Amino acid sequence: MTALSVKNLTKSYAHFCLDRVSFTVEEGRIVGLIGRNGAGKSTTINGILRLISAQGSVQVFGKEFKSEENEIKQKVGYVGGGFAQYPLKKLSVIRKIYASFYPAWNVEEYGLYLKKFGLDENKRVRELSEGMKVKFSLALALSHGARLLVMDEPTSGLDPVSREEFCDIVLSLVRGKGVSVLFSTHITSDLMRIADGIVYISDGKILLESSLKALLCKYALVRFSTAEAACRASAIGVKSVKDGFEGLLPRSSVPPEGAAVSEASLDQIMIHLEESMKEKNTLC
């Protein structure tokens, strides 16, 4: 079953346009929404959750968000990067306010997450580390039975160990409870650990939608001695690097003699695809 279906989501601002964004998240899957800063990730998230007015269709488990908003919001949990707007509030106060919006709030479930995450409700938000703030967001999101988690840069500002721990938690939720996840981030190494699929947005448009495995299998990273050699090979997103020039080649193509071929990470694929869109290989 499809957990989230986004079709032709469109929002226009003076200097930016989210242009007919469409993608899906299947039930029990983790999909990473990637793109450079300003590409439209947060605008997409806000449009999906109806935090901004946008055109297009958003369906959650087959129901239209616009016409079934109250019911759908009971099934959706949002996880962001913290609670910067409530630094002096105790966690218990935030929990009481949050729980009042959800008839299905599960006190026992919430208590289990507090214990699991080592959270003390008597603490104020400003007393929590960034990692603990994210865990608190996750506890709130999961304690009303959310089946779809929408996460906007939740690991931004976390240290590598905390990010790893967070990814482990998300993965266990998907495997253990069948939760579905849309994970917007610019830290692609997190997605390399846990994502099933990738939606790549660039300048307000979807550049590609693919399984992570298929995307990593599509391109190889190739290093050339000269820019001319890279251009002759029709390399994608040619960049000058320390020991020559670098670009992507489809794995189906044969690299020229003398070129060094290696696996391309998600970061490298993103960098070279962005480079290719600047001026279509200006080095050529």
Side-chain angles (χ1 to χ4, degrees), residues 73-117:
K73 282 187 173 179
Q74 301 300 313
K75 299 177 181 178
V76 177
Y78 172 77
V79 180
F83 292 87
Q85 66 271 47
Y86 303 119
L88 300 180
K89 296 290 185 184
K90 287 187 176 181
L91 304 194
S92 59
V93 173
I94 296 174
R95 182 259 304 162
K96 288 176 184 177
I97 296 170
Y98 195 91
S100 68
F101 291 99
Y102 297 97
W105 182 264
N106 189 319
V107 177
E108 291 182 0
E109 190 88 353
Y110 177 71
L112 289 174
Y113 282 117
L114 286 185
K115 186 176 181 180
K116 181 176 181 178
F117 297 158

Side-chain angles (χ1 to χ4, degrees), residues 139-154:
L140 293 174
L142 293 168
S143 296
H144 63 86
R147 294 170 57 199
L148 171 67
L149 290 181
V150 178
M151 307 196 298
D152 191 9
E153 305 282 1

